[in-house]
Each structure stands twice: as structure tokens, then as C-alpha cells.
Amino acid sequence: MTDNSIAVETAAAPVAASLTRHKFRPKPPTHLADMTPEERKTVMKESGFPAFRVRQLENHYFSHLSIDPDTMTDLPQGIRRQLVEQFFPPLITKVYSRQADNGTTIKTLWELFDHTKIESVLMRYPTRTTLCISSQVGCGMGCPFCATGMLGLTRNLSTAEIVEQVRAAALLAANGGLAGGATRLSNIVFMGMGEPMANYKSVVQAIREISALPPQGFGISARNITVSTVGVVPGIKKLAQEGLPVRLAVSLHASNNTLRDELVPMNKRFNLEKVMDAAHDYFLATHRRVSIEYALMRGINDQKINAIELAKRINHYGDNWAHVNPIPLNPVEGSRWTASKPEDEKQFLRILNDAGITATLRDTRGNDIDGACGQLAAKYYENETTK
Ligand code: SF4
């Protein structure tokens, strides 16, 4: 466990095993986005350049999304490459991208400096453009229905490895890479590979840089950033005190502890009561409605009794503090967990709505490109190991 993480050891064996693996790994090169503004100035001065060059680099990076020395015409030509090499070491390299939904969804597999892989998904909607990003290589939470969970955890991402996913997507969107023409990246969801609360410090620093106004950040409103957790209670509590109005999404996936112990091993450490209490406290502290994520699995958690139990748990705290997103499960190949029947999805939604709870079936973008969390990377690793 590094000081970069919230303590999340659980009864789930993969957590401990994968954290041990992560301990001795080399760190990614330090990038401008890993440093505080003061640290950037110190490094700049130590390299023999005046501190005001930092503001110029920040402006190229955060305002213009550029790391190309040829565009940095306000810097003397003789030092551009040196500064770019020092402050913008390459951290993510595209392996391949896949399009879906008529070009309005682009899923990208990235290779990191140590040849590990992560993914991000860019999605255009009528009123917003959303990027789903990864916070770890793999995930140590061990949810048995999840492709990323099957990979286990390799390591945490650095702040800059997270921020670089955003810069790359913002540039792609601005350059018209999505069907429909040029657009502005407006929303970020931490719902790719990994448990964001297990990489807390890097995730929060990344959120601050994503939401700060240019030239110190990308200027994407913190209100448009969602942090998704499987229920790491200390992380939820800490995030509530950060003064960041980000939305919290809690992946519940079960309506009672017996079922959740099986579907989400973290439940053995922080059970449903603790998770729901922390989520409601988050709502009280931030006045942001909490999203409850619930992957519907056929015959497992999608029956009438599950919807009634879930509604009771939410209404226990009063009205209108949470929104439920039932998600049709995108089945992982070879897994015994599969998507609900349409009639069961409808019944589930109806019961929640009748209990006064807002619930909308979440759009599952990119299903035809292995769109479930972690599936592209999972498939890549599978192909590599079966070659
Ligand atoms: S569902 Fe989320 S928390 Fe669980 S293993 Fe997958 S990525 Fe990790």
C-alpha cells in the first residue's frame, strides 16, 4: 500500500495479492501534470530557465491541448524540444481505437510506459460529450462478473496518466474526431478500469486539474465529473470533505448483503448499510444527488424482491437524494453472468418509479466494441496470452 491510496484491503484475496505486485513497479516519468504549480517553477528554475516559462507550457498543455513543440512559437526555438521532453514525457500511446454507434463512440486502448494497457471511451450525446477514463491498470476489487476484475490489479495510474487520457480525448473531440463534427469535451466519468478510491490522491489531483480554469486546468466543471466507487467508505467520506462538487456514483449491484457479498467482494469490508450511510452523508455534505449504479443480471439480482429491497433502502433516508441507474449487463465472454430479460428490466424500473425513486435504464454505449468496463483491455491481454 502506498501513501497514494485509501486503505482498501479486504477479505477479497485479489486486493492483497495485486497490491503486493504493484509495490515494486517502476514509476512513470514525472510530467507537468504530476507537479503542483510551485513544483513546476522549481524544476524550471533548476533546469536553468525562468519561472514564467511554466505559464507558457501550462497554456500550451491545458488551453491548447498541445504537446507539439512546433506549435509553441512563443518559446525560443532552441529550447522547445528540451522543455517538451522534460515536462511532457510520452505517457500514453494509442494501441488502437474502435468506433461504434455510427462514429459517436470511440473506445481507445492505450499502452503505458511499462507496456501495461488501459482504455478510455469517448461518447457523444445530443447535449454533452463524455469521456469514461481509467484510474488503475486493472482492478483489485474482484467483482466476478466484470472483465477488469478478472485481470486483477497491476498498478495505480499517476495523475498525469489520468490527465493525459482527458487531454487526448479533448483534442480528438475538438478536431472533429467524433461523428457530428468538432465538439467540446464536457463530462468526465471515472468508470473505466480501476477503483478510483483505491488511487485516491492521484484521482483527486487529476480532478483538480481537469476542473481548474485554463491555463491551470481544462476548465471542465467539477459538477460534470463523476467518481464511481464500488463502496470504499473512507474514500467516500474523504471526497465529501474536498470541497469539490463532483457527482458520486456508487456501484451497488445488489439489494441485500448476502447477494452483495457474492457480487462485490468489497461488501465484506463495507457492507450495504455502511455504503448507503456514507453515500447519503455525501449527498448531505455536497448537495449533489448520488447515482446508484446497478448492473442487472438475469435471475441473480433483477427480480421483483430485489427492486423492492433496493427501493426500501433508498427511501429509508427520505426523498430525492439518489438516482438509480440500472445498467443492462454487457456479458463477459465465458461468464455465467448474463443480461436481464427486457420484461424484468421494465419491472425493476417500474417498482422503483412507483416507490417515488427516479431511475433510468443506462445507455450501454459501445456494446458492439466490447464496451463493458475493462473489456477491450481484457480481450487484448487474453489474445496476448493465447498467442
Ligand atoms: S466492477 Fe468496478 S470495482 Fe468491480 S472489479 Fe470491475 S472495475 Fe473493479
Side-chain angles (χ1 to χ4, degrees):
M1 178 64 58
T2 68
D3 64 353
N4 206 18
S5 314
I6 296 269
V8 289
E9 290 93 337
T10 71
V15 177
S18 47
L19 284 176
T20 310
R21 275 206 304 281
H22 143 77
K23 225 176 197 171
F24 304 105
R25 290 191 153 256
K27 283 188 175 168
T30 306
H31 182 283
L32 177 125
D34 290 311
M35 302 178 222
T36 63
E38 279 316 303
E39 286 168 345
R40 291 169 196 162
K41 284 183 194 157
T42 305
V43 172
M44 186 64 85
K45 282 194 254 174
E46 283 171 359
S47 304
F49 301 111
F52 71 82
R53 298 271 178 235
V54 167
R55 182 48 62 98
Q56 291 173 301
L57 287 184
E58 288 169 343
N59 203 30
H60 286 293
Y61 188 78
F62 290 113
S63 308
H64 303 300
L65 310 171
S66 176
I67 53 169
D68 177 0
D70 292 338
T71 66
M72 301 181 183
T73 51
D74 55 342
L75 292 166
Q77 197 160 15
I79 66 168
R80 285 182 210 162
R81 279 182 198 282
Q82 183 187 341
L83 289 181
V84 164
E85 278 168 21
Q86 177 157 12
F87 285 90
F88 304 129
L91 295 178
I92 61 172
T93 308
K94 187 165 91 175
V95 179
Y96 53 77
S97 286
R98 289 193 180 153
Q99 293 197 359
D101 307 310
N102 299 318
T104 57
T105 299
I106 298 179
K107 185 157 184 164
T108 305
L109 184 76
W110 301 102
E111 181 168 277
L112 309 183
F113 86 102
D114 54 0
H115 308 297
T116 53
K117 309 284 185 297
I118 55 163
E119 60 195 1
S120 55
V121 189
L122 184 61
M123 297 158 280
R124 184 180 201 141
Y125 296 92
T127 57
R128 65 185 190 280
T129 297
T130 299
L131 177 69
C132 175
I133 53 176
S134 297
S135 56
Q136 297 183 302
V137 181
C139 181
M141 298 295 127
C143 306
F145 58 88
C146 166
T148 303
M150 288 177 191
L151 294 174
L153 175 71
T154 301
R155 68 171 173 90
N156 284 335
L157 297 190
S158 64
T159 300
E161 286 173 324
I162 298 170
V163 170
E164 269 289 89
Q165 294 173 65
V166 178
R167 187 191 64 85
L171 189 62
L172 183 68
N175 287 342
L178 285 165
T183 186
R184 186 177 174 275
L185 177 62
S186 59
N187 292 61
I188 303 292
V189 294
F190 281 84
M191 290 186 179
M193 295 173 85
E195 163 57 54
M197 298 301 188
N199 186 15
Y200 186 88
K201 195 175 161 197
S202 296
V203 165
V204 168
Q205 193 184 338
I207 291 170
R208 293 196 189 282
E209 291 181 13
I210 293 165
S211 59
L213 290 176
Q216 301 226 297
F218 299 121
I220 296 171
S221 167
R223 298 184 69 80
N224 291 348
I225 299 175
T226 300
V227 176
S228 171
T229 177
V230 80
V232 179
V233 168
I236 298 174
K237 289 185 173 168
K238 212 169 166 199
L239 191 63
Q241 303 307 316
E242 295 284 354
L244 287 166
V246 296
R247 184 182 289 283
L248 176 74
V250 177
S251 299
L252 222 57
H253 304 324
S255 56
N256 60 64
N257 281 310
T258 311
L259 188 55
R260 199 163 190 268
D261 278 350
E262 186 188 356
L263 296 178
V264 182
M266 177 56 76
N267 198 62
K268 294 184 182 123
R269 178 76 177 85
F270 303 111
N271 66 18
L272 264 175
E273 288 73 26
K274 288 180 181 158
V275 173
M276 294 296 277
D277 281 353
H280 186 251
D281 287 348
Y282 188 88
F283 163 75
L284 293 178
T286 62
H287 307 293
R288 299 294 325 265
R289 276 165 93 204
V290 173
S291 293
I292 304 286
E293 310 290 312
Y294 195 103
L296 288 168
M297 301 171 212
R298 185 180 299 192
I300 306 275
N301 66 356
D302 63 348
Q303 298 302 294
K304 195 174 168 187
I305 179 68
N306 304 114
I308 293 169
E309 280 178 343
L310 179 62
K312 242 186 211 170
R313 285 189 183 275
I314 293 171
N315 283 339
H316 167 72
Y317 298 92
D319 286 343
N320 215 19
W321 69 278
H323 176 109
V324 182
N325 283 320
I327 312 155
L329 185 78
N330 187 8
V332 177
E333 268 171 38
S335 153
R336 71 185 170 97
W337 321 95
T338 189
S340 294
K341 294 179 192 159
E343 58 268 32
D344 288 337
E345 287 177 3
K346 277 193 199 124
Q347 173 183 259
F348 200 90
L349 276 177
R350 200 183 55 245
I351 292 169
L352 292 175
N353 290 333
D354 288 350
I357 295 164
T358 48
T360 29
L361 203 61
R362 188 130 74 82
D363 170 29
T364 50
R365 281 290 190 105
N367 269 4
D368 52 333
I369 48 165
D370 299 321
C373 141
Q375 268 184 337
L376 196 63
K379 189 153 274 185
Y380 182 89
Y381 282 112
E382 180 190 307
N383 290 342
E384 284 293 286
T385 51
T386 53
K387 265 180 191 170

